Amino acid sequence: MIIKTFVFNPLQENTYLVIDDTTKQCMIVDAGCLFDEEKQALASYIQTNGLELVYVVNTHLHLDHCFGNGFLAETFGVKPMAHADDENLLRFMRAHAAAFGVPFDEEAQPLGGYLAEGDVLTVGNEKFEVLHIPGHSKGGIVLYNAAQGVLFSGDSLFKMSIGRTDLPGGDYATLVTALTKKVMTLPDATVVYPGHGPTTTIEQEKMYNAYL
């Protein structure tokens, strides 16, 4: 499995292109590409390497994680998937962008499907289990690949930190409880790919994350 990381938009969001190198199927986790050059960098990588995009997944629907959903739906015919509890956030995407001073003035791309606890996404030979981790947002999810020991944590878990819980739909106790029960119980060697900032491991977070 190959994981290609792009850092996009003014909020420095991590967009992940997850590739099964045997079949060349791929999945995008959190399409944060906002500017034309960012969109083209992502599309060009997919096209140049002869990849087949099978899923666009949003770990949650805060605007910085889904700026590129419409572009990807138009370019590759793949609509985004996310947890149903976050869908309402799409209604306010333009207003939130204006509040942050971000130049996004288009209708949010509707979801093409929903993801829920226990769902499994298959990308070539790789399987990713969906875990529902509310607290940063109501519909926050993470994707876990047990065979490869990899977790895409969105904005739920960061290196030595957790996601903010002061936004609408956020709740500190809910987030900490979900992380403690579902994420911190994963194998220590699991590599965590967060929505912002550097990678970490479950072991490092057990040792150094003051919130957990």
Side-chain angles (χ1 to χ4, degrees):
M1 183 173 70
I2 299 170
I3 300 172
K4 172 71 174 174
T5 306
F6 298 84
V7 181
F8 286 148
N9 72 59
L11 297 174
Q12 296 289 281
E13 176 269 350
N14 292 331
T15 291
Y16 297 107
L17 182 60
V18 186
I19 305 162
D20 174 55
D21 44 343
T22 301
T23 64
K24 292 201 168 185
Q25 288 192 344
C26 67
M27 167 177 68
I28 292 172
V29 180
D30 290 336
C33 45
L34 172 64
F35 303 111
D36 287 343
E37 59 268 26
E38 295 177 340
K39 296 174 182 177
Q40 292 307 316
L42 182 56
S44 177
Y45 191 96
I46 293 170
Q47 294 162 343
T48 300
N49 289 282
L51 305 178
E52 177 192 1
L53 181 63
V54 293
Y55 294 115
V56 175
V57 176
N58 292 122
T59 60
H60 62 298
L61 290 174
H62 288 158
L63 76 171
D64 53 322
H65 291 256
C66 51
F67 283 132
N69 285 353
F71 169 76
L72 292 171
E74 180 179 346
T75 304
F76 296 100
V78 180
K79 294 182 179 180
M81 303 178 73
H83 197 283
D85 287 353
D86 265 11
E87 187 172 30
N88 190 54
L89 291 171
L90 294 176
R91 295 173 50 203
F92 307 102
M93 196 167 166
R94 280 201 293 189
H96 290 161
F100 278 98
V102 176
F104 180 85
D105 189 22
E106 59 186 76
E107 292 296 328
Q109 170 64 43
L111 296 177
Y114 301 109
L115 295 172
E117 176 85 18
D119 287 348
V120 176
L121 298 175
T122 300
V123 181
N125 297 308
E126 303 294 342
K127 295 186 183 298
F128 300 85
E129 181 184 359
V130 175
L131 304 177
H132 182 208
I133 308 291
H136 176 64
S137 69
K138 289 184 177 180
I141 62 169
V142 302
L143 300 177
Y144 177 52
N145 183 318
Q148 298 285 355
V150 166
L151 179 81
F152 295 95
S153 65
D155 284 3
S156 296
L157 178 65
F158 302 121
K159 184 174 182 177
M160 298 176 64
S161 188
I162 62 174
R164 61 187 295 181
T165 57
D166 59 338
L167 299 172
D171 184 81
Y172 178 81
T174 298
L175 178 58
V176 170
T177 298
L179 287 171
T180 301
K181 290 184 176 180
K182 298 182 184 181
V183 173
M184 301 310 289
T185 53
L186 298 176
D188 284 355
T190 303
V191 179
V192 179
Y193 290 82
H196 302 268
T199 60
T200 185
T201 66
I202 295 299
E203 182 178 31
Q204 286 179 305
E205 297 315 300
K206 284 181 178 178
M207 294 174 63
Y208 302 117
N209 195 317
Y211 297 95
L212 300 170

